[in-house]
């Protein structure tokens, strides 16, 4: 099976600094073939939906995610040891980590909802937009009213504006945004200054797609996460390890939205923690996003299955008090609210540490503290644009553009969970609570480490065999470093994928079929053991801990 399982002795001598954990992350990058893993586990399919064909991600996304997960496994083993249950070795399965990165797309594609058919071939053009003076930009708003004001102010018909909104708002879930061409034409008539003026008046955010050089010059790099000791020693001793997974017996209180926060809590749950999720009165509206499994969204279940749920109206004093009561007995409180919301609600770390000095308080933000109060919303797509990731994702000769696959939300969830684990190690050693800060921007820095250090060019330089090779009925990928003379791409176009792969393998070339949609992986006999099927496909834990 393509991919590897990374095994580490469960020592804790590397724990203590963010740079040491980052080195552990980077050490896994060359253990497997990045392109092969992207092809087999559906990443190329999702990343390429907006283009209408499977497309290679220009950074080592599977490798970076596996490195974070492997370091997290070692931290979890350290926690288990400090709680009195030794772990001799940690196994982190790279294929399972790759599947976790597409878990919501896998769940949606395997749901089989008869009332909903996923389509990604509708006519239209995805972001970014290009202004009259040549600037590529992302637009962002989380509210339909600013969207309507902005586009109607540019003279577009309400029907076109509404059609654009229906394509724009679910893009983080579908990795597809077929926007009407009229929207792109309207932006192309404006200079960047005119665009900023119109957007500011209507409440829409504009984020230019920055270059690699821009990113290097901003001086905003930092560690993936920071951990700060807070308050005095805990008022209660942590319970003895009850047996089982490393975090068994620990409780996580999560107030997450969309992907980053819920995924972080989900990962802690896979490590054994009991997770309670705070949702608004009436439940999270994303529970109703199709396709459905029973009465709940398959995408939502991919990140939230197995969590206990408490509904609380945070606008009311009683709702906020119920959260404080839960936090008083929790080991971890984790959220990814908008900047300033926690303080506004009286639920920031300074507030909760008063009632639970041993609490690990984790904030998974968009920008961290880097961009100040006037920053645009810190969503996956605005952060990709600001971080210069668009230049890294596409090969030389192609214009910079971000991915509609939620790369940073996913990596941000992994990074946040890792920071929480490091904080729990610290708490077990000195009894004090901790605050953990991570962000989508810090996750982007981790993903771009090779480019920022000069070990990779800003844009990948690929030959014809470094990307998916078309066949008569799909695409295939050959291992990195395959000499061009051994493969004839023109001949492969005339062959069905299965025949082309078989022929190359008979010649000693380990070609693989590019999975055209993650939902198909449930029928792959090599992938099926990594999944649980309960109405749709869910990814099993990537970790195994040997006693």
């Amino acid at each position: 099976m393509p991919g590897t399982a990374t095994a580490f002795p469960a020592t804790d001598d590397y724990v203590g600094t963010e740079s040491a954990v980052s080195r552990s992350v980077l050490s896994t990058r060359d253990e497997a073939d990045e392109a092969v893993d992207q092809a087999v586990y559906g990443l190329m399919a999702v990343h390429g939906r907006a283009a209408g064909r499977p497309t290679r991600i220009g950074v080592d996304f599977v490798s970076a995610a596996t490195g974070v997960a492997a370091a997290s496994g070692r931290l979890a083993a350290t926690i288990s040891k400090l709680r009195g249950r030794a772990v001799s070795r940690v196994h982190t399965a790279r294929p399972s980590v790759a599947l976790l990165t597409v878990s919501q797309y896998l769940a949606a594609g395997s749901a089989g909802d008869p009332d909903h058919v996923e389509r990604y071939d509708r006519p239209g053009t995805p972001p970014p937009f290009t202004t009259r003076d040549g600037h590529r930009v992302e637009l962002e708003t989380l509210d339909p009213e600013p969207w309507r004001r902005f586009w109607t102010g540019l003279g577009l018909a309400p029907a076109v504006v509404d059609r654009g909104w229906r394509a724009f708002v679910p893009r983080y879930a579908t990795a597809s945004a077929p926007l009407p061409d009229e929207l792109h034409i309207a932006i192309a008539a404006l200079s960047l200054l005119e665009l900023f003026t119109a957007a500011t008046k209507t409440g829409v955010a504009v984020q230019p797609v920055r270059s690699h050089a821009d990113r290097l010059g901003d001086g905003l790099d930092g560690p993936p996460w920071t951990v700060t000791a807070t308050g005095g020693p805990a008022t209660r001793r942590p319970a003895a390890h009850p047996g089982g997974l490393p975090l068994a017996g620990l409780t996580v209180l999560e107030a997450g939205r969309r992907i980053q926060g819920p995924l972080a809590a989900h990962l802690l749950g896979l490590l054994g923690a009991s997770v309670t999720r705070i949702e608004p009165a009436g439940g999270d509206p994303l529970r109703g996003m199709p396709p459905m499994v029973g009465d709940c969204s398959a995408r939502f279940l991919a990140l939230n299955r197995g969590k206990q749920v408490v509904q609380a109206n945070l606008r009311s004093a009683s709702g906020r008090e119920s959260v404080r009561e839960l936090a008083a007995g929790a080991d971890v409180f984790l959220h990814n609210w908008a900047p300033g919301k926690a303080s506004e609600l009286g639920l920031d770390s300074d507030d909760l540490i008063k009632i639970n000095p041993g609490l690990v308080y984790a904030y998974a933000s968009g920008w961290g503290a880097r961009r100040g109060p006037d920053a645009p919303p810190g969503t996956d797509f605005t952060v990709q644009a600001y971080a210069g990731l668009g230049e890294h994702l596409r090969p030389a000769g192609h214009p910079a553009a971000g991915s509609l696959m939620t790369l940073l939300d996913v990596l941000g969830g992994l990074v946040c969970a890792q920071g929480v684990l490091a904080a729990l190690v610290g708490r077990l050693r000195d009894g004090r609570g901790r605050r953990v800060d991570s962000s989508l921007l810090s996750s982007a820095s981790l993903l771009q480490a090779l480019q920022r250090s000069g070990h990779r060019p800003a844009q990948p330089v690929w030959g014809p065999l470094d990307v998916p090779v078309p066949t008569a009925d799909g695409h295939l990928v050959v291992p990195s470093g395959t000499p061009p003379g051994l493969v004839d791409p023109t001949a492969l176009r005339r062959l069905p994928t299965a025949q082309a792969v078989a022929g190359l393998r008979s010649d000693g070339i380990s070609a693989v079929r590019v999975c055209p949609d993650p939902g198909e992986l449930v029928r792959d006999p090599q992938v099926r053991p990594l999944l649980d099927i309960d109405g749709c496909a869910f990814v099993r834990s990537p970790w195994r801990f040997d006693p």
Side-chain angles (χ1 to χ4, degrees):
M1 180 174 190
T4 61
T6 303
F8 290 113
T11 58
D12 61 5
D13 54 352
Y14 76 102
V15 174
T17 68
E18 292 90 339
S19 60
V21 176
S22 296
R23 287 196 297 272
S24 179
V25 169
L26 295 174
S27 70
T28 67
R29 286 183 180 267
D30 297 324
E31 292 182 356
D33 193 303
E34 176 73 26
V36 167
D37 287 343
Q38 288 187 24
V40 170
Y41 301 114
L43 283 81
M44 286 185 178
V46 177
H47 176 59
R49 277 180 184 172
R53 63 185 182 280
T55 305
R56 181 173 176 178
I57 302 170
V59 292
D60 292 347
F61 188 68
V62 175
S63 298
T66 302
V68 176
S72 295
R74 297 181 71 183
L75 286 165
T78 299
I79 291 168
S80 188
K81 176 182 176 181
L82 292 171
R83 299 176 70 206
R85 184 176 177 84
V87 172
S88 64
R89 190 165 291 270
V90 185
H91 300 261
T92 304
R94 182 180 171 109
S96 295
V97 176
L99 291 169
L100 276 171
T101 69
V102 293
S103 61
Q104 65 158 332
Y105 311 105
L106 169 60
S110 60
D113 182 349
D115 298 322
H116 180 79
V117 177
E118 296 278 280
R119 284 191 57 195
Y120 310 111
D121 57 352
R122 293 182 175 89
T125 305
F129 303 90
T130 304
T131 65
R132 187 180 70 233
D133 43 357
H135 295 277
R136 291 171 70 78
V137 298
E138 292 280 354
L139 302 183
E140 186 61 279
T141 177
L142 306 178
D143 187 332
E145 185 55 28
W147 176 271
R148 184 194 64 80
R149 290 196 304 263
F150 175 76
W151 292 108
T152 56
L154 297 182
L156 272 67
V160 173
V161 175
D162 290 345
R163 183 155 49 95
W165 178 252
R166 290 194 298 272
F168 181 81
V169 74
R171 68 199 190 286
Y172 82 94
T174 63
S176 176
L179 300 179
D181 288 340
E182 292 92 329
L183 275 62
H184 288 272
I185 293 169
I187 298 298
L190 302 176
S191 69
L192 183 61
L193 179 58
E194 291 167 341
L195 174 59
F196 268 115
T197 301
T200 301
K201 288 180 179 178
T202 55
V204 170
V206 177
Q207 175 57 64
V209 177
R210 299 204 309 162
S211 69
H212 173 68
D214 292 334
R215 183 71 169 100
L216 289 179
D218 64 20
L220 296 183
D221 289 328
W225 43 259
T226 59
V227 175
T228 308
T230 57
T235 56
R236 59 185 177 88
R237 294 175 60 85
H241 200 299
L245 292 168
L247 302 192
L250 300 182
T251 58
V252 175
L253 183 61
E254 174 227 317
R257 54 183 189 160
R258 292 202 175 181
I259 298 172
Q260 180 190 19
L263 175 58
H266 174 66
L267 295 168
L268 297 174
L270 292 179
L271 289 165
S274 174
V275 181
T276 297
R277 176 174 165 77
I278 300 166
E279 296 189 9
D284 192 317
L286 293 182
R287 289 179 172 274
M289 175 176 281
M292 306 294 285
V293 173
D295 61 355
C296 192
S297 165
R299 292 185 175 94
F300 185 88
L301 288 172
L303 304 179
N304 296 291
R305 187 174 71 128
K307 297 176 183 177
Q308 302 176 60
V309 176
V310 172
Q311 294 186 12
N313 179 6
L314 299 183
R315 294 189 179 92
S316 71
S318 61
R320 295 190 293 273
E321 185 56 32
S322 67
V323 174
R324 292 188 188 95
E325 291 174 359
L326 290 168
D331 295 288
V332 177
F333 178 75
L334 186 158
H335 74 87
N336 63 326
W337 290 329
K341 183 176 180 180
S343 295
E344 176 187 323
L345 297 172
L347 298 174
D348 209 345
S349 55
D350 290 341
D351 303 303
L352 297 186
I353 207 73
K354 295 174 183 175
I355 59 176
N356 184 351
L359 182 69
V360 170
Y361 183 101
Y363 179 31
S365 68
W367 302 112
R370 300 289 182 172
R371 296 199 61 190
D374 297 327
T379 62
D380 195 300
F381 310 117
T382 57
V383 177
Q384 283 192 47
Y386 179 82
L389 193 58
E391 190 171 355
H392 302 155
L393 293 175
R394 296 176 181 245
H398 291 253
S403 176
L404 285 175
M405 179 178 167
T406 52
L407 301 177
L408 297 185
D409 272 332
V410 168
L411 193 61
L414 283 157
V415 165
C416 175
Q418 186 192 80
V420 168
L421 294 167
L424 287 169
V425 169
R427 187 184 75 158
L428 284 164
R429 285 175 169 163
D430 64 14
R432 299 178 66 187
R434 296 290 194 280
R435 177 180 171 114
V436 181
D437 286 281
S438 63
S439 69
L440 300 183
L441 185 59
S442 69
S443 301
S445 295
L446 180 65
L447 190 58
Q448 299 166 292
L450 294 177
Q451 288 82 2
R452 291 187 300 109
S453 65
H455 289 87
R456 289 269 181 88
Q459 287 192 286
V461 179
W462 289 329
L465 300 184
D466 295 318
V467 296
V469 179
T471 63
D473 59 356
H475 293 78
L476 61 79
V477 161
V478 298
S480 299
T482 301
L486 298 182
V487 178
D488 181 358
T490 302
L492 294 177
R493 286 180 179 272
R494 299 191 292 267
L495 300 175
T497 306
Q499 184 178 341
V501 168
L504 289 171
R505 289 184 174 179
S506 68
D507 292 336
I509 300 170
S510 301
V512 297
R513 171 180 178 263
V514 177
C515 172
D517 186 273
E520 292 193 7
L521 291 171
V522 295
R523 297 190 292 274
D524 187 324
Q526 293 182 305
V527 173
R528 179 62 182 81
L530 307 178
L531 306 174
D532 288 322
I533 308 297
D534 185 8
C536 65
F538 301 106
V539 183
R540 292 179 175 172
S541 173
W543 296 289
R544 191 181 85 235
F545 299 90
D546 294 341

